[in-house]
Amino acid sequence: DELDQDAIDGLEQEIMEFQKAGNYDAAIEKLVIMHAWEEQNLGPQHPNLANTLMWMAGLYALQGLYEKAEPLYQRALAIREKVLGPDHPDTATSFNNLALLYNNKGLYEKAEPLYQRALAISEKVLGPDHPSTAISLNNLALLYNNQGLYEKAEPLLQRALAIAEKVLGPDHPSTAISLNSLALLYSRQGLYEKAEPLFQRALAIAEKVLGPDHPDTARSLNNLASLYDNQGLYEKAEPLFQRALAIAE
C-alpha cells in the first residue's frame, strides 16, 4: 500500500519500539518495508537508504547473523562513500561497523584497513584530540590486542588515554575505561608493576564518580584483585574480590 513520509516516520517509531522490546524479527520486517519505500521514492543512492541499511545490518549483527549483516553494511558504505564523500563522519561509522563485524568473525586482516580508514577520517575531519578519534584508536587497539600484537596496541591506547584526560578530564568515566584498557594490556604481558597504578586510578575514578556500589566499580575491583591474584598476592586480592561480590549481590 502507498506510504508517505508521515507513515515512514510512524514506521520508524514502531521499529524503535520493537527494537527496545528485543523483538528484532518484527523490527527487521518493518525495516524491509521502509527500505523498499526509500529505494522506490528516494532512489538507490539516497543517504536515508544507507541509514536504513545500517540499522538493519546492526540488528542482524546483534544476533550474530553476520552473513546477513555484511552485504547490507557494504552497500551502505558504498552509498555513503559516493554520496557523502570518502571523508564524511557517516562514512567513518560505516567503516567502523563493517570492521567490527570482521573483528567479531576473527577476520582481522579484513578489519584492520577499515579501522585504519575510520581513524584517518576522524583525525582529518574531527581532529586528533576529538573523543571520536579516541574511540577509533581504542577500536584499532582492541583488534591488535585480540591478535596478541601488544606492541602495536600500546601506543594507540596511550594516545586514547591522553585524549580522554585532556578533553574529558582526569576523573571522567571514559578516562577510567582507557586506564583499564591499557592496564589490561600490561597485565596480559605480565607487566604487573605497569598495570597496578592504572587499575588503582580507574578504581578511584569509579568510586568517586559512579559510587562505591556501581557495577563499573565492581569491575574495577575485580581487575585489581585479579592482578594481585596472578602474582600470588592473595591477602591483597581477597578483600577486593569480596567487595566486588558484595556489589554484585
Side-chain angles (χ1 to χ4, degrees):
D1 58 337
E2 205 47 46
L3 294 167
D4 57 14
Q5 191 55 55
D6 284 346
I8 287 295
D9 292 342
L11 203 54
E12 257 185 45
Q13 212 40 55
E14 267 186 84
I15 295 162
M16 281 193 256
E17 278 159 26
F18 282 133
Q19 184 175 341
K20 229 192 234 165
N23 191 349
Y24 299 135
D25 288 345
I28 287 167
E29 220 172 277
K30 299 288 183 187
L31 278 165
V32 169
I33 296 167
M34 196 157 113
H35 169 266
W37 183 88
E38 287 171 343
E39 187 115 39
Q40 196 179 347
N41 292 275
L42 305 176
Q45 297 292 320
H46 198 279
N48 287 14
L49 183 66
N51 297 344
T52 301
L53 290 164
M54 289 289 288
W55 197 353
M56 220 189 303
L59 291 179
Y60 281 132
L62 262 179
Q63 301 172 81
L65 301 170
Y66 301 128
E67 67 295 335
K68 287 190 170 182
E70 186 180 350
L72 302 177
Y73 275 144
Q74 286 171 331
R75 213 186 134 200
L77 172 59
I79 294 169
R80 285 175 167 180
E81 277 197 290
K82 185 174 178 181
V83 179
L84 302 175
D87 290 340
H88 193 280
D90 286 354
T91 306
T93 302
S94 274
F95 280 126
N96 251 328
N97 289 17
L98 189 54
L100 180 62
L101 179 126
Y102 290 138
N103 186 22
N104 289 341
K105 286 175 82 178
L107 300 172
Y108 302 129
E109 69 296 336
K110 276 190 161 185
E112 185 181 1
L114 301 178
Y115 274 143
Q116 287 171 331
R117 282 283 311 270
L119 174 60
I121 295 168
S122 193
E123 288 181 315
K124 181 178 175 181
V125 178
L126 303 172
D129 289 341
H130 194 278
S132 290
T133 302
I135 291 168
S136 282
L137 287 162
N138 271 320
N139 287 342
L140 188 55
L142 186 65
L143 180 81
Y144 292 139
N145 215 345
N146 288 343
Q147 298 173 83
L149 300 171
Y150 303 127
E151 69 295 337
K152 279 189 163 185
E154 185 181 356
L156 302 178
L157 289 175
Q158 286 171 331
R159 257 194 73 197
L161 173 60
I163 294 169
E165 288 181 314
K166 180 180 173 181
V167 179
L168 304 171
D171 289 341
H172 194 278
S174 291
T175 302
I177 290 168
S178 278
L179 286 162
N180 264 324
S181 298
L182 189 56
L184 282 166
L185 180 91
Y186 291 138
S187 186
R188 276 183 173 183
Q189 298 173 83
L191 301 171
Y192 301 127
E193 68 297 335
K194 276 189 164 185
E196 186 181 2
L198 302 180
F199 277 141
Q200 287 170 331
R201 260 195 70 198
L203 174 59
I205 294 169
E207 288 179 318
K208 180 180 173 181
V209 180
L210 304 170
D213 295 330
H214 193 277
D216 284 359
T217 303
R219 263 193 290 277
S220 280
L221 286 162
N222 256 325
N223 284 341
L224 189 55
S226 297
L227 181 87
Y228 292 138
D229 195 49
N230 289 339
Q231 297 173 83
L233 302 171
Y234 305 122
E235 69 293 340
K236 275 188 164 185
E238 195 181 346
L240 300 175
F241 276 135
Q242 284 171 340
R243 266 192 64 198
L245 200 58
I247 296 170
E249 288 168 354

